[in-house]
């Protein structure tokens, strides 16, 4: 089965504390391999939901 993945972080905390884009990508790749799926592409959403504060 051909599949695509989607990864994102919505807060800076998620990005820094274990749910980074790299972590999510690795988990998707492992899951697909374990299930015999053909991972065609991973879409990445790097935008944070809350824009950084201005000084």
């Amino acid at each position: 089965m051909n599949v695509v993945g989607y990864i994102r972080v919505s807060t800076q905390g998620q990005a820094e504390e274990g749910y980074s884009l790299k972590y999510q990508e690795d988990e998707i790749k492992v899951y697909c391999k374990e299930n015999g799926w053909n991972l065609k592409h991973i879409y990445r959403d790097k935008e944070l939901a809350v824009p950084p504060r201005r000084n």
Side-chain angles (χ1 to χ4, degrees), residues 28-46:
I28 288 172
K29 287 179 178 179
V30 167
Y31 189 85
C32 288
K33 185 174 182 178
E34 289 175 348
N35 288 283
W37 296 350
N38 182 26
L39 182 61
K40 300 298 279 183
H41 185 73
I42 296 179
Y43 293 94
R44 291 163 179 83
D45 188 351
K46 297 179 184 176

Side-chain angles (χ1 to χ4, degrees), residues 5-52:
Y6 173 74
I7 58 179
R8 72 182 294 266
V9 292
S10 60
T11 68
Q12 189 65 33
Q14 287 177 326
E16 295 172 351
E17 297 174 12
Y19 296 104
S20 67
L21 294 175
K22 176 71 172 128
Y23 171 81
Q24 293 175 51
E25 180 177 341
D26 292 345
E27 289 293 304
I28 288 172
K29 287 179 178 179
V30 167
Y31 189 85
C32 288
K33 185 174 182 178
E34 289 175 348
N35 288 283
W37 296 350
N38 182 26
L39 182 61
K40 300 298 279 183
H41 185 73
I42 296 179
Y43 293 94
R44 291 163 179 83
D45 188 351
K46 297 179 184 176
E47 297 295 323
L48 297 179
V50 178

